[in-house]
């Protein structure tokens, strides 16, 4: 650009080329020696004047050579020659080689800066970047300039194609209007690509965080298991190896799934990056036809790819501590069960029932560890915290951390056990599990189910061992129920977000057995 500005200042206003043997008139304006000579010759007999400022001279003006101006002008000629070799030259500068800055599609001619200024400004004289390839600018059938864009056939057409040709009656738009519409779509596509790339990166970070958290959890569990088995080394070596191996396999499985998903999403990010570069390149093109005739993906093609990447990111496997818990329970006797529980949390042995919450149709033992149906209705003191039906809460409150307790039930009976918020309504007739404030395991006629918000889900197993474990991870929002025995089995896990302190909660029904022996 700087070279073009210098060339303009050192160009003769007559031939519009860089000075050749520059001379200066008395008025101070410079011209090529041959150019001004021809002008003065033509003015002879009718009065002389400067062709630039129109200053009149009584007689033919003397011409003064400018050595400095000539040296500067001559120094530019090698640059012009260099541009001539590598670029497109002005068709109107016939006496010298001047680089073209625009090409007129109508005239099929390239113009330098000087000739662009004086070129026809009519609408049909479309100026584009310098080019020698004008064939794609004209209709191959009518040899006329492409002025319209046919929306039906997605091609650029001339006026004859529109009025009399195969596109007659089709919906068409001007080239510039269609170009602006496509450029707007490209901008939107670019923004969507950028957004999808950011989301893919976010998913990658989520997976990395998940992988890191999983590694921390498995490391903690392995260390704890090792410390537990030191005490029982002689008898439990085989079991220790088995459990550690299963944890290791789970870790490999989770880590492998995370790695695969990360690779997949990184590949998606690479594709998004390439597409963004393509769109940026298109957006930087000022030539409407180059943009409109570019065959590439439309902005709607990202939707399915994004759905696939989102589906992959949400399909990551998770490490569940309950699996290890079950393995331990299946391999251990009653004594070993206590050891296995330490994987998750210390067993809560201090859980006691809150007599002030017990309904009149339940009995609470002296040690506050057993709840049963009474032979006759109790007459407990009135209390706002007391249930109006056969339910009771624990005094123990859980508001963070991991907790585990065990409950023994009668060999026959109907009951519910679980957890409930402190805010559970004590005066309505709804059982625990039939509101949004409580989650429970239910046994009715030896059939087990889980209940929350009045929605009951059968777990497909019969109650046969009458000893159950409850595992609560408050911070993770997980509540799990297990049937204890040899082997033990996982019944169900609720996953939610706990928002209030929780209590252990129990319900017993008429003529059925007691819930007893909280540990």
């Amino acid at each position: 650009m700087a070279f073009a500005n210098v060339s303009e200042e050192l160009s003769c206003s007559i031939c519009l080329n860089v000075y050749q043997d520059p001379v200066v008139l008395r008025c101070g304006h410079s011209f090529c020696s041959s150019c001004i000579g021809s002008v003065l010759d033509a003015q002879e007999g009718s009065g002389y004047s400067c062709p630039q400022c129109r200053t009149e001279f009584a007689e033919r003006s003397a011409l003064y050579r400018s050595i400095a101006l000539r040296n500067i002008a001559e120094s530019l000629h090698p640059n012009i020659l260099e541009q001539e070799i590598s670029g497109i030259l002005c068709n109107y500068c016939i006496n010298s080689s001047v680089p073209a800055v625009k090409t007129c599609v109508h005239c099929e001619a390239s113009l330098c800066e000087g000739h662009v200024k004086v070129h026809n400004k009519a609408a049909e004289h479309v100026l584009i970047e310098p080019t020698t390839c004008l064939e794609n600018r004209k209709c191959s059938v009518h040899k006329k300039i492409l002025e319209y864009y046919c929306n039906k056939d997605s091609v650029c057409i001339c006026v004859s194609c529109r009025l009399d040709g195969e596109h007659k009656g089709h919906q068409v738009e001007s080239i510039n209007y269609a170009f602006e519409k496509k450029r707007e779509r490209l901008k939107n596509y670019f923004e969507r690509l950028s957004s999808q790339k950011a989301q893919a990166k976010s998913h990658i970070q989520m997976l990395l965080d998940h992988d890191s958290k999983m590694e921390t959890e498995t490391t903690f569990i392995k260390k704890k298991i090792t410390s537990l088995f030191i005490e029982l080394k002689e008898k439990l070596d085989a079991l220790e190896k088995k459990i550690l191996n299963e944890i290791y396999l789970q870790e490999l499985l989770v880590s492998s799934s995370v790695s695969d998903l990360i690779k997949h999403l990184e590949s998606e990010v690479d594709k998004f990056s390439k597409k963004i570069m393509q769109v940026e390149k298109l957006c930087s093109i000022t030539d409407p036809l180059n943009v409109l005739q570019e065959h590439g993906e439309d902005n709607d093609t990202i939707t399915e790819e994004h759905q696939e990447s989102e589906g992959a990111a949400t399909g990551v496997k998770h490490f569940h501590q309950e699996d290890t818990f079950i393995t331990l329970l299946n391999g251990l006797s009653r004594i070993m069960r206590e050891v296995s529980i330490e994987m998750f949390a210390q067993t809560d042995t201090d859980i006691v029932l809150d007599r002030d919450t017990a309904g009149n149709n339940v009995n609470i033992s002296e040690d506050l560890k057993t709840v049963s149906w009474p032979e006759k209705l109790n007459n407990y003191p009135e209390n706002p915290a007391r249930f109006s039906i056969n339910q009771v809460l624990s005094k123990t409150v859980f508001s963070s951390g991991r907790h585990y307790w065990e409950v023994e039930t009668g060999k026959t009976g109907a009951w519910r056990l679980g957890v409930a918020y402190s805010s559970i309504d004590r005066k309505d007739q709804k059982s625990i599990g039939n509101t949004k404030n409580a989650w429970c395991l239910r046994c009715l006629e030896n059939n087990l189910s889980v209940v929350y918000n009045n929605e009951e889900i059968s777990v497909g197993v019969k109650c046969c061992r009458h000893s159950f474990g409850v595992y609560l991870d408050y911070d993770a929002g997980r509540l799990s129920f297990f049937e204890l025995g040899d082997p033990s089995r996982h019944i169900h896990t609720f996953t939610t977000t706990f928002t209030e302190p929780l209590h252990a909660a129990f319900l017993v029904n008429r003529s059925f057995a007691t819930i007893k022996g909280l540990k």
Side-chain angles (χ1 to χ4, degrees), residues 183 186-187 189-191 193-194 197 272-286 291 294:
R183 184 159 62 177
L186 287 171
K187 287 180 180 178
Y189 185 41
F190 173 82
E191 292 174 359
L193 285 173
S194 300
K197 179 180 178 181
F272 289 139
S273 298
K274 291 178 181 178
K275 292 176 181 177
I276 287 174
M277 291 176 63
Q278 293 173 357
V279 175
E280 286 179 332
K281 183 178 178 181
L282 284 174
C283 290
S284 66
I285 298 175
T286 59
V291 176
E294 177 70 19

Side-chain angles (χ1 to χ4, degrees), residues 44-111:
E44 190 170 355
S46 60
Y48 301 99
S49 64
C50 172
Q52 188 165 343
C53 67
R54 302 305 178 185
T55 300
E56 296 183 352
F57 309 109
E59 55 185 22
R60 183 167 179 151
S61 175
L63 302 176
Y64 303 94
R65 295 190 180 278
S66 174
I67 303 300
L69 191 60
R70 183 183 65 183
N71 292 338
I72 296 173
E74 288 179 352
S75 69
L76 291 178
H77 285 288
N79 293 328
I80 295 174
L81 180 60
E82 182 180 345
Q83 289 194 15
E84 178 183 356
I85 295 173
S86 59
I88 299 171
L89 303 179
C90 176
N91 294 109
Y92 295 105
C93 296
I94 58 177
N95 294 325
S96 60
S97 300
V98 180
V101 295
K102 293 290 181 181
T103 296
C104 177
V105 178
H106 183 78
C107 301
E108 295 188 5
S110 297
L111 303 92

Side-chain angles (χ1 to χ4, degrees), residues 308-325:
E308 291 177 358
S309 66
E310 277 194 336
T314 56
V316 61
K317 297 183 181 300
H318 295 270
F319 179 85
H320 297 303
Q321 299 177 5
E322 291 82 1
D323 294 333
T324 304
F325 180 38

Side-chain angles (χ1 to χ4, degrees), residues 106 175 448:
H106 183 78
I175 288 288
L448 293 176

Side-chain angles (χ1 to χ4, degrees), residues 296-357:
E297 294 181 339
D298 204 351
N299 57 344
D300 288 331
T301 59
I302 188 64
T303 302
E304 184 176 351
E305 296 174 1
H306 172 51
Q307 290 174 346
E308 291 177 358
S309 66
E310 277 194 336
T314 56
V316 61
K317 297 183 181 300
H318 295 270
F319 179 85
H320 297 303
Q321 299 177 5
E322 291 82 1
D323 294 333
T324 304
F325 180 38
I326 294 171
T327 302
L328 281 173
L329 292 178
N330 290 339
L332 297 173
S333 63
R334 178 58 182 251
I335 296 175
M336 289 306 301
R337 188 185 311 125
E338 296 178 0
V339 176
S340 67
I341 296 305
E342 292 188 28
M343 283 184 57
F344 302 101
Q346 295 295 329
T347 302
D348 288 272
T349 59
D350 59 345
I351 296 178
V352 293
L353 300 174
D354 185 355
R355 197 185 301 272
D356 290 338
T357 66

